[in-house]
Amino acid sequence: RSLGSGSVSIFEQSGEKWNPTHIKVGPRAEGFDLSPDEKEIWAANAGDGTVSIIDVPSKKVIATVNVGTQQSNRLKFTPDGKRVLISDFNTGEVAVVDASAKKVVKRIKIASSVAGILVAPDGARAYVAATYDGFVAIIDMATLSVTNKIATGRGPDGMDWIRGN
């Protein structure tokens, strides 16, 4: 997948060979995620405030949804697949989308700019990187509100879970 290409690529292995399928989505596609049931890929299109929904088995765009973002940056499903979080780099908000209704249910103001998103494995919290403001916001997913902030220093973005022993 490439930001400039407006596409998502699926690579399937056949023996030693990798077979790519390039799927045209929207302008400046950036953040994307595979639904927990592995049936859909949602790609956030930074160029026009939409999300392209790809049916994985057919490898085709089955819907394009206007989520009204200015510059979508990252997109993450909750572990139960019921919600999708999309960071809007320009507004510093996270758009919370009801995955089945395909509608924004809330916009949460975090900071001047947001990027990386990480949802806890239990789905209770989400962590959102406030890139220019030097912190990670903690969102309570039951109330859809910011409950705390973790100071990080300059430029937080990508995050992941590391399980200890």
Side-chain angles (χ1 to χ4, degrees):
R1 164 204 62 82
S2 166
L3 181 63
S5 73
S7 67
V8 170
S9 298
I10 297 174
F11 292 84
E12 296 175 284
Q13 189 174 14
S14 175
E16 294 294 316
K17 187 177 178 188
W18 287 92
N19 301 309
T21 301
H22 307 291
I23 304 158
K24 232 18 187 160
V25 287
R28 296 179 49 227
E30 187 164 354
F32 70 98
D33 200 10
L34 176 66
S35 63
D37 64 8
E38 299 184 357
K39 293 181 180 177
E40 295 177 343
I41 296 170
W42 286 37
N45 302 312
D48 67 1
T50 65
V51 170
S52 296
I53 301 171
I54 299 166
D55 174 67
V56 172
S58 70
K59 299 179 193 81
K60 295 182 191 268
V61 173
I62 56 170
T64 300
V65 179
N66 186 347
V67 293
T69 53
Q70 287 184 22
Q71 185 181 338
S72 300
N73 187 260
R74 306 286 186 261
L75 180 148
K76 290 290 174 194
F77 274 91
T78 56
D80 62 9
K82 292 182 179 179
R83 292 184 175 148
V84 175
L85 305 178
I86 305 167
S87 60
D88 190 332
F89 194 79
N90 284 0
T91 66
E93 296 176 336
V94 170
V96 181
V97 178
D98 178 301
S100 62
K102 297 175 179 49
K103 299 224 182 279
V104 175
V105 294
K106 186 163 185 181
R107 293 183 195 280
I108 305 167
K109 181 67 175 177
I110 306 291
S112 64
S113 182
V114 290
I117 301 171
L118 177 66
V119 181
D122 64 5
R125 292 165 313 286
Y127 300 84
V128 180
T131 305
Y132 292 148
D133 300 276
F135 67 86
V136 170
I138 302 172
I139 297 174
D140 179 307
M141 291 304 293
T143 63
L144 298 180
S145 61
V146 175
T147 59
N148 209 344
K149 296 176 183 176
I150 302 167
T152 61
R154 292 185 52 157
D157 190 351
M159 297 170 275
D160 204 351
W161 290 105
I162 299 175
R163 291 190 169 88
N165 296 340

